[in-house]
Amino acid sequence: MSKLFCQSIIPDFICGDLDSINPEVRDYYEKKGSKVIRDPDQYSSDLTKSLKCVKTHVESLELQSNTNQPNKSPTPLTHTVIIGGIGGRFDQGFSQLHHLYKASTETLLPNGQLFLINPQSICFLLEKGMNKINTPVGPGLFAENVGIIPIGRPAVITTSGLEWDVTDWYTEFGGQMSTSNHIKSDTIEIETSERVLFTIELDSSQDA
């Protein structure tokens, strides 16, 4: 929160149990128009609280839109980008991955894809079946390193477009796992028998 305060980023909402928010910071953002929402639930993380807030806000916007346009087409999925989602404490990092895994079946969370992003990489979940991912490598885009991690349960994967492609390859924690593979195509295909975590390195050459 202190970093956001220094950078004068004005969020629409500040959600959480608010047990550690600085009163000066809270007052600053409320005066700037941010809506502060306290959720005292100690059995959910601040990320969960924030995702629930996103879902509630999107549903409110959808209701207003449908009221004004009764014949409007169904609203598409709400994809959520979580900045800094894979940094900091190790246990919190695992909590973020846990939310990725359960988001597609948790009705209290947004109904789209969750993306965790930090300065080095982006990760998201691949669903069962065939997944096609655009992976252009170059300045300001992606670097070559990718990983396919079976975070929930073992999976059988088949890949195309990587340096070390596999076919009907069994992967699990404690066994074999595809990490530090390399992109060799602008589009890669991954077919999987179970949901798996996909990670890809962001190009940082322009930051040097």
Side-chain angles (χ1 to χ4, degrees):
M1 179 61 71
S2 60
K3 291 182 179 179
L4 290 175
F5 185 52
C6 293
Q7 296 170 2
S8 297
I9 297 174
I10 310 301
D12 294 314
F13 301 95
I14 297 175
C15 308
D17 56 23
L18 307 182
D19 57 353
S20 59
I21 189 171
N22 185 307
E24 180 184 358
V25 173
R26 175 171 181 165
D27 182 64
Y28 172 84
Y29 283 115
E30 287 184 320
K31 288 181 179 178
K32 291 290 185 178
S34 297
K35 185 175 181 180
V36 178
I37 301 174
R38 181 176 181 271
D39 184 341
D41 180 15
Q42 292 301 307
Y43 292 95
S44 64
S45 68
D46 282 343
L47 176 59
T48 301
K49 295 178 177 68
S50 295
L51 291 173
K52 290 179 180 178
C53 178
V54 169
K55 180 177 175 63
T56 300
H57 179 59
V58 169
E59 288 177 342
S60 175
L61 293 177
E62 290 176 357
L63 181 61
Q64 295 176 25
S65 178
N66 291 336
T67 300
N68 296 330
Q69 304 177 54
N71 297 321
K72 182 184 176 184
S73 300
T75 303
L77 297 178
T78 302
H79 300 305
T80 306
V81 176
I82 303 169
I83 304 297
I86 36 180
R89 278 178 20 210
F90 199 63
D91 61 328
Q92 290 180 335
F94 268 103
S95 175
Q96 321 297 37
L97 298 180
H98 168 70
H99 284 93
L100 278 187
Y101 191 76
K102 78 171 190 175
S104 62
T105 58
E106 175 56 72
T107 58
L108 294 177
L109 302 182
N111 62 355
Q113 181 73 275
L114 299 184
F115 298 89
L116 299 181
I117 299 179
N118 70 9
Q120 291 78 40
S121 60
I122 177 173
C123 66
F124 51 93
L125 206 65
L126 302 182
E127 295 293 336
K128 296 180 183 179
M130 177 62 72
N131 298 268
K132 294 185 178 182
I133 310 163
N134 293 325
T135 52
V137 173
L141 299 170
F142 296 120
E144 65 175 6
N145 293 303
V146 301
I148 305 169
I149 315 297
I151 60 171
R153 61 186 65 183
V156 177
I157 63 174
T158 296
T159 68
S160 174
L162 300 177
E163 183 169 357
W164 297 288
D165 279 324
V166 295
T167 301
D168 294 332
W169 196 69
Y170 187 85
T171 175
E172 66 174 342
F173 274 97
Q176 54 190 4
M177 193 178 301
S178 179
T179 61
S180 301
N181 210 329
H182 295 160
I183 296 171
K184 292 300 178 183
S185 174
D186 283 343
T187 301
I188 63 175
E189 297 182 352
I190 301 173
E191 186 173 9
T192 175
S193 65
E194 301 290 341
R195 289 183 293 171
V196 293
L197 182 71
F198 180 74
T199 71
I200 182 168
E201 183 183 11
L202 298 174
D203 176 73
S204 59
S205 61
Q206 294 183 331
D207 298 334

